[in-house]
Amino acid sequence: MAYQIISLEHFSSTFGSMAELSSVALGGKIVKVSDEFFAEAYHLLLVEPAPSLKGQYGPNGALYSGWETRRHNPTYDWCIIKLGSPGTIVGFDIDTSHFNGNEAPEVSVDALLSTDEDESGLRNAQWTEILPRVPLGPSARHLFSVPESSRYNYVKLNMYPDGGIARFRVYGHISLVLPADDSEPFDLAHIFAGGRVVFTSDQHFGTGSNIILPGRGKDMSDGWETKRNRQHDHKDWVIVRLGAPGRLQTAEIDTANFIGNFPESCELHAINSTSDIPDNDSADWVTILPRMKLGPHRRHFFQLEADQESLLTHVKLTIYPDGGIKRLRIIGTRGKYEGYTVPESRMEYASATTPIVQRATIGKVIPVLPLTPEAFAAFGQVIQAYGSHTTAPPGTKITPANRGTASKFHKLALLKSSYPESCGATAGVSVYRCDPVKVTGGMVELNVLERHKHTNQAFIPMGAGGFSWDEALREPGKIYLVVVALNGGDDKPDLSTLRAFVATAAQGIMYNTAVWHQPMTVLERAMDFSCVETQIGDGGNADCEIVDLDEALYLKLPEI
């Protein structure tokens, strides 16, 4: 089979736009190996370059960051690798760094497409050679390009006859995973859906392309992190070319593992562009998420302000002033747009259980997102404890209490009242017992909102009863809805600001004064709430104003 040796200076131009199909960051893994006496094969797929372990020894001899087998093999050694994603293969980086005198003299690579969940028979499967036997040298990276292959999900690295290899990277095109139904929402930015990071303003500590990888990663090393900048109003940004042009609905911005170095805030813009890398300063960028505060080590969920009639091709995530982001998810439905054609050999279609598929809807249906303090900040406060004090919102005062048996999170929400003194309004604690609402097709109907013009209002879930004679619920529900809107210029709810969240029994909420909200709505099972508020208590509009919506809206619940 034909191949070409690529010089290191041409690495970026040859493989720079390709995916590393074998990477552990995508889910690549070692399946089976003939021998790994001196150094284990898992090192081959590590993201970081191989370090020198010179002078360090283990029970079997000198230590190496790589795969090293016994001497004197009469045939050859082999290692079977499952790719992180099926794809077509275009080349390899076979690195023998720090192996000098014990490097593998020659290698070849075979490939296989298998859907059999039983991997025990892979050794004897019908493999196809895609890189013929080629020589290697000591302590060097060896780059080989091959004609684009068919779609495969396994490779077998053969080394003749034995020795050591530090890293092995397989480059190619991911087989895009797209929903068969164009109306099915999914993560348009995901690398498995064809998303690509095409520009990053700074990636001093972590690569921008990490933000579209699957999962939440393992630590800060597999996120995007910029260097510190102390200039006023500094910002960093990353531009993602979506896997398909889409109608954008919701976003998830994850700061997992970034605790003392998460961005203060962020915003999202989108554009419809035929350019691979749109001009950052173009007037065509539209805001789809205004600047929002971020918190440490947390998944943030936001409803986007994108026109559902417009197809958008790129998203720009801007962070202020700097810091780290682990993952970016952009949920929407795909459309068709010239310039986004993909060969059928690189496509497969997903079922609703595939990780990139997300449940959401558009128009008169409002997506319900998990409740976070940052997304709720315009409407009120989230009242909850934090297992790690470092993940509490910045500025939260936390002290030991009860002689060290408790932690106190101080004043997460303050009571406020603007009633005229003559009204005789008083603050108090009430209890609401709420029955679950009807859920049809994963949706809850919304047809009424209320507000309290002169007071804020807190709801704190109460727990289960423990005694046979008490009146508490034995098995209360664990989740409830929080639906809010700001007041409009006509002194009615501004439905363009309507947001819906799902909260857990570990979270209380405080509605800001005069914020419109849905009456308490619980799911699955009844729940008790303590309610802290100021009121007159005569049932008048001064205490609670209620409006019926002209047209019912539907709240689309997430799959929990």
Side-chain angles (χ1 to χ4, degrees), residues 5 34 41 61 70 87 116 136 142 152 207 271 275 299 317 321 336 344 436 448-449 452 468 486 540 551:
I5 298 173
S34 61
R70 293 175 173 87
D116 192 347
L136 301 182
H142 306 80
Y152 294 112
T207 307
I271 196 172
S275 172
R299 297 170 69 187
L317 168 63
K336 292 180 173 59
E344 280 295 320
V448 65
L449 292 172
H452 312 278
S468 60
L486 300 178
E551 188 174 5

Side-chain angles (χ1 to χ4, degrees), residues 27 47 71 111 170 202 233 243 253 313 336 348 363 367 395 443 457 513:
V47 174
R71 297 188 184 213
V170 181
D202 179 279
D233 280 344
I253 299 171
T313 61
K336 292 180 173 59
E348 57 182 288
M443 291 191 285
Q457 187 182 43
T513 302

